[in-house]
Amino acid sequence: MNAQQFLDQMAATANALDLEAHMDLISKDVSVFGVPGFDVIGYDDWLNQCKHEFGNKLLKCVSYKGLNVLAETPEKVMFKSMETVEGSDGTVNTNGIEFIIQKEADGVWRVSQERVLPEDELENDMRRGALLT
């Protein structure tokens, strides 16, 4: 599994509002950092947010552009990408995200860590051409 294939699966499962398939891409031990108002978001928080968004059809489209692989081993990949979430109400949120995905004991690749990039880091990455949109 490469990082682009993983992002394609993340987007496809979210766009299909397929909660079970989407959550199968998320580690039970996931940690999400950098979300304003939260110290750390875990699996249950992610699940509850997706249940709400998918159940109420609040998502119009999730997409990823740009890919910068930072480190890679046979069992783990660290990379950055731009995530755009379009809401059914017309809102559009775009964030730079740093992902760590890893192959878990059952052979499935899942997000184990996600970090929303602060504005200065995102601007620096874009200026260097490390994260093109």
Side-chain angles (χ1 to χ4, degrees):
M1 166 86 52
N2 69 35
Q4 187 59 58
Q5 291 170 321
F6 189 84
L7 290 175
D8 291 346
Q9 284 188 333
M10 287 283 287
T13 57
N15 291 331
L17 304 177
D18 186 337
L19 183 65
E20 185 176 335
H22 188 72
M23 292 310 297
D24 193 43
L25 299 172
I26 314 304
S27 174
K28 298 277 194 221
D29 298 321
V30 72
S31 296
V32 180
F33 302 96
V35 177
F38 297 90
D39 288 335
V40 180
I41 292 173
Y43 180 86
D44 289 340
D45 302 312
W46 194 319
L47 174 62
N48 290 332
Q49 182 69 23
C50 286
K51 276 184 184 175
H52 174 72
E53 291 176 351
F54 292 13
N56 292 297
K57 295 183 172 40
L58 300 179
L59 296 179
K60 179 179 175 188
C61 182
V62 176
S63 62
Y64 296 93
K65 285 189 179 179
L67 177 64
N68 180 17
V69 176
L70 305 169
E72 191 169 4
T73 70
E75 305 293 318
K76 195 178 278 194
V77 183
M78 179 182 208
F79 59 94
K80 292 180 181 180
S81 185
M82 293 294 294
E83 177 184 71
T84 300
V85 177
E86 296 178 51
S88 54
D89 63 356
T91 58
V92 177
N93 291 307
T94 300
N95 289 294
I97 308 283
E98 180 182 83
F99 294 88
I100 297 176
I101 60 173
Q102 63 187 38
K103 192 180 211 178
E104 295 196 331
D106 61 359
V108 177
W109 285 86
R110 295 188 176 95
V111 175
S112 60
Q113 186 173 306
E114 192 175 292
R115 181 173 65 93
V116 178
L117 302 179
E119 198 64 36
D120 59 341
E121 183 176 348
L122 178 59
E123 288 173 7
N124 186 48
D125 284 351
M126 293 178 75
R127 192 171 39 254
R128 293 184 302 113
L131 195 58
L132 304 174
T133 59

